[in-house]
C-alpha cells in the first residue's frame, strides 16, 4: 500500500475475496511501536541517540512484533470487500458506497472465477456522479437533510493544541479518520483525514508536535494543494455542499454555526444514502 501510495486494497485467497486491507487498521501498530521507541529514548542520556527520533514512520509499523504474529486474513477480516458485476447498474454501486464501502470491485460477469477487472473508489465515483448531476427539481437546505438524519451530529472534535500522537490515537479509538480540529474558542480550523495517516507512514515526521503543526508540515509532503477545511451552514443549499465537495475533493463537509463551530458533518457515505433513498 505504501509503495503505491494507496489507502486500501482487496485481499484475495484463491478465487475468494476475504476482505480489504486498510492503512487505518495498521496504524495502531505503528503508534504502539512509536510509543515504545519514544519511551526508550527518554531513558537515553546520549543526545546523539536522541536525535535519531525521526526514523521513517513505516519502520515503526514494520518493526512491530505483532505483525509477525497476525495474518493478513485476520487483519482484513472486519472490512469485507464488496463488488459488482460489470453489467450491474450504477445505482447498485451507489448502494455499496451508501453502505460505507470506500472501495468497490468490478468483476467480469462472463467469468465464474470472480475475475477482478477494476476497482472504483468512493471519491472517484462521486466525482463522476457530480459531472452528470442536475438539480432539476430545485434545491433543498442542508437543514432538511439534518432533520432526515443524513447529517451526523454531534461531531467528534479535538483541540488544535492536542499532541499529534493523541490525535491519531483518538482516530483509532473512535474508528474515525475525520476529526474536526478546533481552536480555543471551538471554531473549526482544520480536519484530520485518512490521507494524514498515509502521509505520516510515508514520512519520518514525529508525533510530538501539536496536531495543527503536524497537519501543516505533513501535508506539505503531498503534491496536491488542498483547502485547509471545507464548511457549510444549515441554511446553505444541498447543491452548494455537493459543488464544494466536488471542488475540494474532500470526503466530508463540516456543518458549522454562525461562529464557525462544527455542529454536524456530511460525508460522501451520507450523500450516497440520500441518492439511493431518493431513487426508491
Amino acid at each position: 500500500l505504501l509503495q503505491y501510495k494507496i489507502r486500501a486494497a482487496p485481499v484475495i485467497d484463491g478465487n475468494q475475496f476475504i476482505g480489504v486491507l486498510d492503512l487505518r487498521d495498521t496504524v495502531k501498530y505503528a503508534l504502539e511501536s512509536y510509543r515504545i521507541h519514544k519511551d526508550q529514548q527518554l531513558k537515553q542520556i546520549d543526545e546523539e541517540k536522541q536525535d535519531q527520533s525521526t526514523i521513517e514512520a513505516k519502520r515503526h509499523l514494520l518493526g512491530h512484533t505483532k505483525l509477525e504474529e497476525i495474518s493478513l486474513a485476520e487483519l482484513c477480516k472486519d472490512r469485507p470487500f464488496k463488488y459488482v458485476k460489470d453489467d450491474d447498474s450504477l445505482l447498485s454501486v451507489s448502494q455499496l458506497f451508501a453502505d460505507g464501502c470506500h472501495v468497490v470491485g468490478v468483476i467480469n460477469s462472463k467469468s465464474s472465477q470472480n475475475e477482478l477487472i477494476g476497482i472504483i473508489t468512493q471519491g472517484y465515483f462521486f466525482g463522476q456522479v457530480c459531472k452528470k448531476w442536475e438539480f432539476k427539481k430545485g434545491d433543498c437546505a442542508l437543514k432538511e437533510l439534518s432533520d432526515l438524519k443524513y447529517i451526523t451530529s454531534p461531531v467528534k472534535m479535538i483541540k488544535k493544541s492536542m499532541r499529534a500522537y493523541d490525535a491519531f490515537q483518538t482516530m483509532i479509538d473512535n474508528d474515525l479518520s475525520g476529526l474536526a480540529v478546533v481552536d480555543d474558542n471551538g471554531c473549526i480550523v482544520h480536519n484530520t483525514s485518512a490521507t494524514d495517516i498515509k502521509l505520516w507512514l510515508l514520512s519520518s515526521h514525529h508525533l510530538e508536535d501539536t496536531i495543527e503543526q503536524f497537519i501543516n508540515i505533513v501535508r506539505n509532503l503531498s503534491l496536491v494543494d488542498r483547502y485547509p477545511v471545507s464548511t457549510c451552514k444549515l441554511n446553505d443549499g444541498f447543491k452548494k455542499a455537493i459543488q464544494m465537495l466536488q471542488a475540494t475533493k474532500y470526503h466530508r463537509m463540516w456543518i458549522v454555526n454562525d461562529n464557525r463551530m462544527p455542529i454536524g458533518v456530511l460525508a460522501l457515505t451520507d450523500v450516497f444514502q440520500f441518492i439511493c433513498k431518493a431513487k426508491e
Side-chain angles (χ1 to χ4, degrees):
L1 297 179
L2 293 175
Q3 179 181 351
Y4 290 99
K5 299 182 179 180
I6 56 177
R7 168 181 157 180
V11 179
I12 192 169
D13 183 9
N15 292 325
Q16 298 297 318
F17 298 108
I18 60 174
V20 175
L21 178 63
D22 192 306
L23 281 178
R24 290 178 299 172
D25 299 324
T26 66
V27 73
K28 64 180 179 181
Y29 301 114
L31 285 183
E32 287 177 6
S33 183
Y34 177 90
R35 187 186 68 247
I36 293 171
H37 176 76
K38 295 301 294 184
D39 289 344
Q40 290 174 341
Q41 282 198 323
L42 291 175
K43 298 177 182 178
Q44 299 288 339
I45 300 177
D46 191 335
E47 292 184 359
E48 183 178 347
K49 290 183 179 180
Q50 289 190 14
D51 287 339
Q52 295 176 3
S53 60
T54 54
I55 65 174
E56 288 183 298
K58 66 181 178 182
R59 284 178 56 191
H60 290 302
L61 171 59
L62 300 177
H64 198 295
T65 56
K66 181 69 174 179
L67 292 186
E68 298 177 2
E69 305 169 4
I70 192 171
S71 67
L72 191 57
E74 186 178 353
L75 197 57
C76 72
K77 67 179 182 179
D78 294 328
R79 297 189 188 275
F81 181 62
K82 302 293 183 66
Y83 54 84
V84 295
K85 296 181 179 179
D86 54 11
D87 56 0
D88 283 338
S89 70
L90 295 181
L91 186 60
S92 63
V93 180
S94 298
Q95 185 60 64
L96 292 179
F97 287 130
D99 292 340
C101 295
H102 290 280
V103 291
V104 170
V106 181
I107 63 172
N108 188 345
S109 59
K110 298 180 175 61
S111 172
S112 61
Q113 303 297 318
N114 283 343
E115 178 190 353
L116 186 66
I117 60 176
I119 291 178
I120 308 172
T121 66
Q122 189 186 55
Y124 173 80
F125 189 71
F126 175 76
Q128 297 306 305
V129 169
C130 285
K131 293 178 182 179
K132 304 291 185 180
W133 202 319
E134 296 181 10
F135 287 81
K136 293 182 178 180
K137 297 182 180 180
D139 200 359
C140 66
L142 291 176
K143 176 68 167 60
E144 296 180 57
L145 269 71
S146 179
D147 292 340
L148 294 171
K149 306 302 181 183
Y150 288 110
I151 292 177
T152 301
S153 179
V155 300
K156 187 66 179 178
M157 295 179 285
I158 57 174
K159 289 288 189 69
K160 69 176 185 177
S161 57
M162 176 182 278
R163 191 172 56 139
Y165 175 91
D166 297 321
F168 271 60
Q169 192 62 57
T170 302
M171 293 164 70
I172 293 171
D173 293 342
N174 292 274
D175 193 26
L176 289 173
S177 55
L179 302 175
V181 182
V182 300
D183 62 17
D184 292 338
N185 296 317
C187 303
I188 191 167
V189 290
H190 300 284
N191 66 263
T192 63
S193 72
T195 299
D196 297 321
I197 294 174
K198 182 174 68 176
L199 290 174
W200 176 58
L201 290 173
L202 287 168
S203 75
S204 58
H205 190 73
H206 60 77
L207 300 178
E208 302 308 304
D209 288 338
T210 67
I211 186 61
E212 181 177 49
Q213 292 169 328
F214 173 85
I215 287 174
N216 289 333
I217 293 173
V218 79
R219 289 185 184 175
N220 286 332
L221 300 174
S222 174
L223 298 179
V224 180
D225 291 330
R226 306 296 293 271
Y227 294 88
V229 67
S230 188
T231 64
C232 274
K233 297 180 180 179
L234 284 177
N235 58 358
D236 287 328
F238 184 47
K239 180 179 179 180
K240 176 182 177 180
I242 294 298
Q243 291 174 335
M244 289 183 68
L245 285 169
Q246 182 185 16
T248 60
K249 294 183 170 58
Y250 276 146
H251 285 204
R252 61 187 59 82
M253 168 72 60
W254 299 96
I255 312 302
V256 299
N257 62 18
D258 291 339
N259 296 319
R260 284 188 58 79
M261 295 178 177
I263 57 175
V265 60
L266 176 70
L268 293 192
T269 298
D270 303 316
V271 174
F272 283 114
Q273 288 176 355
F274 179 77
I275 291 173
C276 293
K277 186 67 176 179
K279 287 294 182 179
E280 291 182 357

